[in-house]
Amino acid sequence: MVTPDPLFNETLLLLGGAILAAPIFKKLGLGTVLGYLAAGIVIGPILRLISDPEEVLHVSELGVVFLLFIIGLELKPSRLWQMRGDIFVLGTAQVLFSGLLLSGLAYLANIASWQGSVIAGFGLALSSTAFALQILADNGEANALYGRRAFSILLFQDLAIVPLLALVTILGSGPEASTSTILVDSGRAILAVAAMVVAGRYLLTPMFQVIARTGAREVMLAAALLVVLGSAVLMQLVGLSMAMGAFLAGIMLAESSYRHELEADIEPFRGLLLAMFFMAVGLSLDLNAILSNLLLIVAGVPLFMIAKGLVIYVLCRLWGSTKEDAASIAALLPQGGEFGFVLFTTAVSAGLLTAGASSLLIASVTLSMALTPLGSALARRYFTGEQKREEIEEDFEGAGADVLMIGFSRFGQIAAQILLAGGRDVTVIDDSPDRIRQASSFGFRIYFGDGARKEVLLAAGIERAKIVAICTHRRDITDRIVDLIRSEFPEVKLFVRSYDRIHTISLRAREVDYEIRETLESGLLFGQKTLEALGKTETEAAEIGADIRRRDEERLQIQAAEGLTAGLHMLHTRPVRPEPLTKPKRQPVAHEADSAGQA
């Protein structure tokens, strides 16, 4: 009998651990990241079922690479330019101040010399991109304002690995090597980034066009993997992170017509490898190093996470974040990151850190990663209030049509078709990113914004609009928008989608110019078609529909004046037999009982 390959057994263990742990931890409300970590700790340090966790970690780091590629696909260069302040100002300040503070703490703890303490401090200042972004994705907050700001900080940290690796060389070799090292490393990095930009603009899209013509899906998949891995390796060769290379490749393809196809191809690899990465972190947790330095780690890990979190909180507040957003970012990014592993290992080779100090720091970083999902969940529950809605940038460039439509629900989509077919431009705003993304896939330009905010209405061009069409799907939101517009923009005509009969009466009291219940006309048409199927002619069915419409309007007027229970005599409660639908040539004699029922 053939003995199974050890690699095959380890793969089965990792897959089994993921399948068991992720649903359990998700059900407990702790998130999938903590589940993968726990599975890795059980399989590795506790049961010792996998002997070489470093090999798993190296392979699974591709999950981070694929994650950054997909993020790049969703970020157009113009959007990245809008984030430049968060990336280069807030990101620089976070790395600099956190690094200096943590360097001081490392030196006071006697972990290494002042040179080694500087590397330790700045290594701990870097956070885990994989952990932070996965937590944001699990919570559905990747596009929240604080989520975008946290991503900007993480992006700068990825860039900072180049000067930090150069700093290791400088501190290890002496000041004489500093100038040449920085110039050479910076020059190579700039040339590599320039090559990526040129390739993305002139090579990638034509390449995918040629491959798409072949119709071979597996070749398109191979090309996608080649682009991601090739760009990652190129950046690694010049000292940048692999994740940064993949991110740049994604940015270059963000406006390509093949973006969605690429994302669909890469997504399964990203999800699986990222789960393996979290498990590999758990596998590599050195329990012996933790037990040998238990007191130092128990005191040191919470201390450095709190210190780093406080720096992030203060900087975010100074940069304009709300208290809730600043607390969310501080709770999301206090941990050490995967680039710290690289920095500490390099520092050992340069003689700045001992092997024992490096193991201690790596164990501390790993433990801080394990604590982050729990800390973030607690912060969201006790400090940041209710879960934030997903947000995207409010960008009203090009807005200002004759019709301003608020809400792009199914009702609004149908109404917009009539207006567009009639040759009228429509500015549509909606506060649902999912709906906006769905609409954009069909060619609609929808602006993100909350129609209940005056500044959003002004930015969307309400002062130039002839009619405001309110097509939101919740009564309370509709009423709030109507009241705001009636108060701030009384000259604007209001056409409003009504939720039900009671809402219609309420809207008429607010003196809207036109309202209609969302189900009225569709219900009438449905009834007419049913009558036709039962033998009525189209004309007869239409006349019945017109009669019901007239009665409904009269009843609404009575109810508005006398109350909701008035006007019941306008309702048909049984078939109408004696009264013909068309005017007869000679009047029949009406039965007394039937006449009374019709009245």
Side-chain angles (χ1 to χ4, degrees), residues 49-62:
L49 298 176
I50 292 180
S51 57
D52 189 4
E54 291 299 320
E55 185 179 348
V56 178
L57 186 61
H58 287 317
V59 175
S60 63
E61 282 175 349
L62 292 176

Side-chain angles (χ1 to χ4, degrees), residues 247-443:
F247 177 74
L248 287 174
I251 289 287
M252 293 301 101
L253 290 166
E255 295 180 331
S256 167
S257 56
Y258 300 97
R259 177 171 69 90
H260 297 295
E261 178 73 18
L262 292 170
E263 186 173 351
D265 286 339
I266 294 298
E267 180 62 32
F269 295 95
R270 179 208 66 84
L272 184 59
L273 287 171
L274 203 57
M276 283 183 62
F277 172 79
F278 298 131
M279 295 183 71
V281 171
L283 288 171
S284 61
L285 190 64
D286 190 344
L287 295 183
N288 291 328
I290 293 176
L291 293 174
S292 302
N293 302 276
L294 188 60
L295 292 178
L296 183 58
I297 289 178
V298 168
V301 171
L303 179 61
F304 101 72
M305 293 181 72
I306 291 171
K308 184 176 176 182
L310 286 174
V311 170
I312 293 172
Y313 177 83
V314 171
L315 291 174
C316 289
R317 290 287 289 143
L318 292 174
W319 193 242
S321 294
T322 63
K323 292 179 181 179
E324 291 78 11
D325 281 354
S328 296
I329 298 171
L332 186 69
L333 305 179
Q335 79 283 32
E338 49 272 10
F339 295 129
F341 299 154
V342 178
L343 203 60
F344 300 147
T345 304
T346 307
V348 172
S349 301
L352 296 175
L353 290 174
T354 64
S358 176
S359 296
L360 175 64
L361 290 169
I362 290 174
S364 298
V365 168
T366 307
L367 188 59
S368 71
M369 288 180 175
L371 292 174
T372 297
L374 189 57
S376 180
L378 291 173
R380 290 178 67 253
R381 181 170 183 178
Y382 294 109
F383 299 112
T384 61
E386 63 182 22
Q387 183 173 335
K388 295 175 177 61
R389 293 190 56 184
E390 184 186 11
E391 300 171 3
I392 58 178
E393 290 286 352
E394 293 177 354
D395 174 18
F396 295 101
E397 182 181 354
D402 288 344
V403 179
L404 172 60
M405 180 175 288
I406 303 173
F408 202 56
S409 59
R410 289 170 296 181
F411 183 95
Q413 292 167 26
I414 296 170
Q417 285 291 292
I418 296 290
L419 295 169
L420 293 171
R424 310 303 302 202
D425 286 333
V426 184
T427 297
V428 184
I429 62 175
D430 198 289
D431 65 350
S432 168
D434 287 336
R435 198 175 295 132
I436 290 172
R437 281 191 289 267
Q438 184 181 19
S440 65
S441 67
F442 291 100

